[in-house]
Amino acid sequence: MSLSVDLVDALKRALRARGMTYRDLAQQLDLSEAAVKRMFSLRAMTLVRLEAICEVLGLGLQELSGDAGRGRPSLVQLDAAQEQALVDSPPLMLAMFLTLNRWRQEDVLSRFAFTVPEWTGLMVKLDRLGIIELLPENRARILTARNFRWRQDGPMERYFRTVLLGDFFAEPFAGEQDTLLLLSGSLGADSLVQLKSRLEELAREFDGLLARDAGLAVEARTGVSLVLAQKPWMLRVFEPYLRHG
């Protein structure tokens, strides 16, 4: 099918916002770079192909259509002030999480102890922060990309390291849906680059699953968090045994 110019432009903006090239997209789609360039230049792609591209980008079709209508890309990163406002207000952080995960007001009020005025106030704050556009009846148009990232060493990352990380690892990972892998070893430079690429690929796959399941009812979804990390590191308990000088 032939796509509108606005829709193709929205796809291009989404690629640029994520730092992806046509070559990167081609690799994810298992196509040649020339084939991807041709699809975009001719605006010719099937619905299945369009959905596959959206999955790679972590976008839903509705979200992409909204971006095309607004003529500007979704936020792929919040600024420091936005992050700090969320860190300073746990209810606002919860409201953002629920809204970005497509919870309707009735779902929120049935699960959490907010009154309608309290929930409305939180939605207004998210609107003023530029994270959502508040619509009638407390519906929201999401202004962030589905797979937006927190700022490196920003307010949210620091809050996670100092406060939330202990909470995340406090209980054993013993459930059927739990996984905790503690791996360590010594790798060469090329292997470290390859491993980093695989972690980034897993993050994109997670984004795609979020996009795929966004339309499911709240009762059919389970909140899940992943911590993907890699760094050259040695346990501090080993440091006293290092030879110095």
Side-chain angles (χ1 to χ4, degrees):
M1 67 177 180
S2 179
L3 303 181
S4 71
V5 173
D6 288 343
L7 205 56
V8 173
D9 286 346
L11 284 172
K12 291 178 179 178
R13 288 195 298 271
L15 281 170
R16 288 195 298 271
R18 289 155 181 77
M20 293 183 67
T21 64
Y22 285 144
R23 177 177 296 181
D24 297 329
L25 181 60
Q27 291 175 345
Q28 292 295 314
L29 298 175
D30 198 22
L31 295 172
S32 68
E33 184 179 358
V36 170
K37 287 181 176 178
R38 187 164 54 251
M39 281 194 305
F40 276 81
S41 63
L42 298 177
R43 296 186 287 115
M45 60 186 74
T46 65
L47 180 59
V48 171
R49 184 69 72 195
L50 177 60
E51 289 176 335
I53 293 173
C54 286
E55 184 170 336
V56 169
L57 297 175
L59 282 169
L61 287 176
Q62 183 177 2
E63 187 176 354
L64 178 65
S65 298
D67 292 347
R70 290 195 303 271
R72 66 175 187 269
S74 299
L75 296 172
V76 295
Q77 189 176 68
L78 303 184
D79 62 33
Q82 290 170 314
E83 287 196 8
Q84 191 62 56
L86 296 170
V87 168
D88 291 341
S89 174
L92 190 62
M93 190 188 306
L94 173 59
M96 186 203 69
F97 172 81
L98 296 175
T99 303
L100 265 55
N101 281 277
R102 283 26 181 204
W103 282 55
R104 299 170 300 175
Q105 177 174 282
E106 53 266 38
D107 296 322
V108 173
L109 298 183
S110 68
R111 194 75 62 89
F112 297 93
F114 293 121
T115 64
V116 172
E118 287 170 341
W119 180 248
T120 300
L122 292 170
M123 295 292 281
V124 169
K125 289 180 181 178
L126 290 176
D127 178 271
R128 290 174 177 169
L129 284 172
I131 295 174
I132 67 169
E133 179 183 338
L134 188 57
L135 303 175
E137 300 178 357
N138 279 346
R139 292 178 294 110
R141 179 178 290 118
I142 310 301
L143 301 182
T144 65
R146 190 184 306 276
N147 60 343
F148 80 95
R149 299 291 183 246
W150 301 112
R151 303 178 70 83
Q152 186 174 15
D153 199 31
M156 186 60 74
E157 185 180 300
R158 292 194 295 270
Y159 181 68
F160 178 78
R161 291 200 310 264
T162 58
V163 178
L164 301 183
L165 194 60
D167 184 36
F168 186 78
F169 288 107
E171 298 296 330
F173 288 69
E176 291 185 3
Q177 298 175 328
D178 299 350
T179 303
L180 175 62
L181 304 174
L182 299 175
L183 309 174
S184 62
S186 299
L187 296 175
D190 290 344
S191 295
L192 287 171
V193 171
Q194 180 179 346
L195 183 59
K196 182 179 180 181
S197 176
R198 293 295 298 273
L199 289 174
E200 292 169 347
E201 181 180 340
L202 180 57
R204 287 193 293 270
E205 182 178 353
F206 180 70
D207 294 332
L209 293 174
L210 289 179
R212 187 192 71 181
D213 293 350
L216 295 176
V218 168
E219 296 77 11
R221 291 181 286 158
T222 300
V224 62
S225 293
L226 302 181
V227 177
L228 305 178
Q230 171 186 323
K231 65 186 295 187
W233 182 61
M234 183 175 65
L235 287 170
R236 291 183 180 179
V237 295
F238 295 161
E239 290 180 0
Y241 305 100
L242 287 173
R243 187 183 299 277
H244 299 284

